[in-house]
Amino acid sequence: IPVYSVQGHKEIINTIDGVGGLGIGEGAPEIVTGSRDGTVKVWDPRQKDDPVANMEPVQGENKRDCWTVAFGSAYNQEERVVCAGYDNGDIKLFDLRNMSLRWEANIKNGVCSLEFDRKDISMNKLVATSLEGKFHVFDMRTQHPTKGFASVSEKAHKSTVWQVRHLPQNRELFLTAGGAGSLHLWK
C-alpha cells in the first residue's frame, strides 16, 4: 500500500527528485515532478492532494515537455530552488522561497538531465546534459545581470547524454552516461 498517492499531472510524469529529511538538505521533505503537460510541481507528502508549489506556463504560452528536474540550495530551513529542463533546450531555475523564476537559459537542444553538485549547500555548480552529446557546467555563484551564470560546455559523447551524477564523496567529479553505452568521468 502506498504511503502517499495523488493524481499529480494530466500527462506522463517524466522526472522526479527529492530533498529534505534524513539529513539530505534542510527543511521539509519534498518531492518535485516534471511532466509532458508542461508543469513542474513540488509535493510535501505530509499535505494531501495538492502540490505546495506549481510552476506552469502562463495562459497562452506554449507548454513544453519537462524532461528533468533537480532540487538545490537546500542549505537551511528557508532556501530551496528547483531547476527544470525542457525538450526545447530551456533551463529554468525557480526560487521556492520567493516563488519566482530566478533565471532561465536555452542550450539549443533538449535537456536530458540536470544535477547540482550537492543539494544541501548554497548553489555551486549545475550540470545539464543534452541531446547531440553535449553537457554544460554552470557556475551558480557567478551570475551576470544580463548574461546569466558563467558556464562552459563540452562535446562529451557521440550520442545523447542521458544522465549526469556527481560523486557524493567528491563533488568535483561527475559521470555522464551516453546513449551508445559509454560512461565518462569528468573533473
Side-chain angles (χ1 to χ4, degrees):
I1 298 173
V3 295
Y4 182 79
S5 183
V6 65
Q7 180 61 44
H9 292 270
K10 295 177 185 151
E11 295 185 43
I12 187 172
I13 296 171
N14 294 321
T15 181
I16 188 169
D17 193 24
V19 72
L22 299 177
I24 305 168
E26 294 286 327
E30 291 178 331
I31 298 165
V32 62
T33 55
S35 170
R36 183 184 297 158
D37 65 14
T39 63
V40 174
K41 296 181 180 183
V42 178
W43 307 90
D44 183 334
R46 302 169 302 174
Q47 296 188 21
K48 267 306 222 187
D49 300 326
D50 294 321
V52 294
N54 184 6
M55 288 72 73
E56 60 187 344
V58 295
Q59 192 71 284
E61 185 179 286
N62 286 343
K63 66 178 184 171
R64 300 306 312 192
D65 194 350
C66 180
W67 284 355
T68 181
V69 291
F71 275 115
S73 208
Y75 62 92
N76 66 26
Q77 295 288 328
E78 291 82 37
E79 299 293 328
R80 191 168 288 177
V81 298
V82 166
C83 196
Y86 298 85
D87 65 332
N88 65 342
D90 283 349
I91 298 174
K92 297 184 180 198
L93 183 68
F94 301 102
D95 183 331
L96 295 182
R97 184 181 66 163
N98 296 320
M99 288 308 299
S100 64
L101 179 63
R102 182 169 170 183
W103 168 73
E104 63 183 324
N106 186 286
I107 61 171
K108 298 187 176 114
N109 282 297
V111 183
C112 301
S113 182
L114 290 167
E115 189 177 57
F116 289 96
D117 55 344
R118 281 188 40 197
K119 298 177 187 190
D120 59 347
I121 62 171
S122 183
M123 288 189 302
N124 185 42
K125 285 190 296 288
L126 172 72
V127 179
T129 69
S130 68
L131 302 173
E132 306 299 323
K134 275 191 170 181
F135 71 81
H136 304 260
V137 180
F138 296 92
D139 179 353
M140 304 305 283
R141 297 168 299 162
T142 309
Q143 186 175 13
H144 187 272
T146 57
K147 295 180 182 178
F149 291 102
S151 68
V152 64
S153 64
E154 183 74 33
K155 176 81 170 167
H157 297 264
K158 293 179 181 173
S159 61
T160 297
V161 185
W162 288 108
Q163 285 288 321
V164 61
R165 288 294 178 263
H166 286 84
L167 184 66
Q169 299 87 347
N170 182 351
R171 66 184 194 213
E172 295 298 317
L173 298 175
F174 62 91
L175 188 73
T176 56
S182 58
L183 297 170
H184 295 314
L185 185 64
W186 301 87
K187 184 172 184 177

